[in-house]
Amino acid sequence: MERRLALEMAVDERGKVEELERHWKEAEEIAEIADGMLSTTTELEEELRRLKQRGAAQGDQPSG
């Protein structure tokens, strides 16, 4: 009986570990995506500068 209980506990623990590993992997993937979104490139910097200049030329008035 004790051996069966120990085996059930081990199987349950393994399932929890696998679930945590899946969550960890998902979190790493989300972090990689977020890092990519936050990084800048020269093209992106130039586009942001162009949009800011256009906004300043229009008096920062929202269109609509």
Side-chain angles (χ1 to χ4, degrees):
M1 182 71 171
E2 290 176 13
R3 187 176 179 141
R4 180 177 175 184
L5 180 59
L7 181 59
E8 287 178 16
M9 290 173 66
V11 169
D12 184 54
E13 185 69 22
R14 183 65 195 154
K16 289 178 183 178
V17 168
E18 289 174 356
E19 183 177 351
L20 286 172
E21 288 173 346
R22 279 193 302 274
H23 287 292
W24 185 274
K25 184 176 180 179
E26 289 174 8
E28 286 181 332
E29 290 173 356
I30 291 169
E32 285 180 22
I33 292 168
D35 286 346
M37 292 174 71
L38 296 175
S39 66
T40 59
T41 63
T42 304
E43 278 184 354
L44 179 59
E45 288 294 328
E46 290 173 3
E47 182 66 13
L48 289 172
R49 191 173 12 261
R50 187 185 67 76
L51 290 171
K52 285 179 184 177
Q53 288 173 351
R54 188 174 78 183
Q58 295 177 355
D60 290 325
Q61 296 293 323
S63 60

